[in-house]
């Protein structure tokens, strides 16, 4: 549970940071994943320079967001057509609850918990 919670919180913080930096710098800032999955780590980048980075996470699986890059414009909005969800869960079934980080086109992230353990954070 702690790894799942930590990974979701780290992504939430970096999404909010990237949005804030885009507004502050009046420039495009991107959150770029390092591998084929968001649990492979990611970095916040602007102008090709890494501003902040997160390492890979072991023992957590992600699903949902297929985008390898999330861009925030100078107004803090994303270029996404709709809301994107990053889902984090453990490989083992049972006690660990899935956490979902959602990102709206306005650029505001939020975190939800799959309270019913049914694979759907919408009810949490």
């Amino acid at each position: 549970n702690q790894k799942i919670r930590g990974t979701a919180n780290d992504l939430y913080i970096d999404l909010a940071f990237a949005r804030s930096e885009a507004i502050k710098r009046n420039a495009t800032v991107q959150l770029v994943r390092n591998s084929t999955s968001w649990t492979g780590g990611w970095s916040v980048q602007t102008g090709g320079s890494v501003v902040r980075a997160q390492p890979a996470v072991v023992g957590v699986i992600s699903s949902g967001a297929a985008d390898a890059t999330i861009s925030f414009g100078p107004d803090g909005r994303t270029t996404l057509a709709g809301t994107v969800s990053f889902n984090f869960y453990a490989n083992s079934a049972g006690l660990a609850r899935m956490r979902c980080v959602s990102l709206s086109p306005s650029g505001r992230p939020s975190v939800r918990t799959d309270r019913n353990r049914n694979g759907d954070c919408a009810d949490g």
Side-chain angles (χ1 to χ4, degrees):
N1 266 335
Q2 186 60 33
K3 277 188 176 183
I4 295 168
R5 183 181 303 121
T7 303
N9 287 341
D10 287 344
L11 181 62
Y12 170 84
I13 289 166
D14 283 344
L15 286 166
F17 175 76
R19 181 177 192 263
S20 174
E21 285 295 300
I23 294 167
K24 181 176 89 175
R25 294 171 185 251
N26 196 31
T28 299
V29 175
Q30 298 176 316
L31 189 76
V32 181
R33 78 175 181 218
N34 296 340
S35 70
T36 57
S37 165
W38 284 97
T39 55
W42 60 83
S43 60
V44 176
Q45 301 179 12
T46 183
S49 298
V50 173
V51 178
R52 178 185 242 173
Q54 286 289 337
V57 181
V58 177
V60 177
I61 299 170
S62 70
S63 66
D67 302 87
T69 301
I70 306 294
S71 295
F72 293 87
D75 60 356
R77 297 182 65 82
T78 69
T79 55
L80 303 170
T83 300
V84 169
S85 183
F86 305 81
N87 307 317
F88 298 102
Y89 54 95
N91 193 16
S92 60
L95 300 176
R97 292 184 177 172
M98 181 170 70
R99 300 243 175 198
C100 304
V101 180
S102 296
L103 182 66
S104 70
S106 70
R108 294 183 185 259
S110 62
V111 179
R112 296 185 114 184
T113 303
D114 178 17
R115 297 199 188 282
N116 295 328
R117 294 187 176 103
N118 61 0
D120 181 12
C121 286
D123 59 10

